[in-house]
């Protein structure tokens, strides 16, 4: 895989260092964890939802933390009670601990989280402050550029 040089972009932009660092580290070949599977969907103009398949985990065994543009979801399975009579012939249900991290853009906040039918839903909202939203600037014309009008009062004429 080719390495992309972001140095020309560093010279011509201000404040995008975090984005370029993220792109640079994502470009490196690394073994990305595939457990648990997840979906990211856009549910509205400024709303998003992350859905993770966490079958077998209880609310108490899951933790969600948002800190410094990173959303971290952790799952730690407690010790399972096994009976002496049961013996697994095949164990296909993963009960291992996991940690999944998501990079959040500026002004994205976690609104709510819910667990239903083995799916963890995390609702996100992009809340852009009014100061950051585009606004229309009125253009005022200067008085010297406006055409001048001459006003004079005319004396009423006498009618004969």
């Amino acid at each position: 895989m080719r390495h992309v040089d972001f140095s020309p972009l560093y010279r011509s932009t201000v404040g995008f260092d975090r984005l370029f660092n993220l792109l640079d580290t994502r470009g490196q070949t690394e073994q990305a964890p595939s457990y648990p599977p997840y979906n990211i969907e856009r549910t509205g103009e400024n709303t998003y939802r992350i859905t993770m398949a966490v079958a077998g985990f209880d609310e108490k065994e899951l933790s969600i933390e948002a800190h410094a543009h990173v959303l971290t979801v952790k799952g730690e399975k407690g010790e399972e009670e096994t009976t002496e009579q049961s013996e697994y012939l095949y164990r296909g249900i993963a009960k291992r601990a996991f940690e999944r991290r998501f990079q959040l853009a500026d002004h994205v906040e976690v609104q709510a989280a819910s667990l239903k039918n083995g799916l963890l839903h995390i609702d996100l909202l992009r809340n852009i402050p009014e100061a950051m939203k585009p606004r229309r600037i009125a253009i005022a014309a200067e008085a010297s550029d406006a055409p001048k009008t001459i006003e004079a009062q005319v004396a009423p004429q006498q009618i004969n």
Side-chain angles (χ1 to χ4, degrees):
M1 183 174 210
R2 287 184 289 171
H3 177 72
V4 179
D5 183 21
F6 291 111
S7 57
L9 297 173
Y10 281 117
R11 289 192 298 260
S12 62
T13 59
V14 177
F16 292 96
D17 301 343
R18 191 172 67 85
L19 174 66
F20 297 140
N21 289 338
L22 178 65
L23 289 172
D24 201 23
T25 57
R26 290 293 178 190
Q28 298 172 357
T29 57
E30 61 182 40
Q31 192 67 302
S34 61
Y35 178 78
Y38 64 93
N39 294 335
I40 300 175
E41 59 185 305
R42 186 176 193 166
T43 57
E45 185 177 337
N46 290 318
T47 56
Y48 303 89
R49 174 176 267 190
I50 298 173
T51 303
M52 299 179 71
V54 291
F57 284 89
D58 194 6
E59 299 96 15
K60 299 172 204 131
E61 299 168 334
L62 297 170
S63 68
I64 302 171
E65 181 180 317
H67 179 67
H69 302 293
V70 177
L71 174 67
T72 305
V73 181
K74 293 181 185 178
E76 295 182 17
K77 197 70 175 154
E79 285 297 317
E80 182 179 307
E81 295 179 19
T82 58
T83 61
E84 294 178 17
Q85 298 174 350
S86 65
E87 177 184 345
Y88 286 101
L89 300 177
Y90 173 75
R91 197 169 211 170
I93 299 174
K95 294 197 176 192
R96 61 183 180 258
F98 68 89
E99 181 174 331
R100 173 76 69 175
R101 294 177 187 265
F102 299 94
Q103 294 288 328
L104 299 179
D106 293 336
H107 312 295
V108 173
E109 306 167 349
V110 177
Q111 289 297 104
S114 62
L115 181 65
K116 183 177 181 183
N117 297 331
L119 296 175
L120 175 65
H121 301 285
I122 304 169
D123 294 318
L124 306 169
L125 173 68
R126 182 176 57 186
N127 190 7
I128 301 173
E130 287 294 323
M132 300 294 288
K133 289 182 181 176
R135 58 188 173 105
R136 189 160 188 77
I137 309 297
I139 301 172
E142 292 184 23
S144 63
D145 291 343
K148 295 182 180 178
T149 57
I150 300 174
E151 294 182 19
Q153 288 194 355
V154 178
Q157 293 181 353
Q158 293 180 358
I159 301 180
N160 291 345

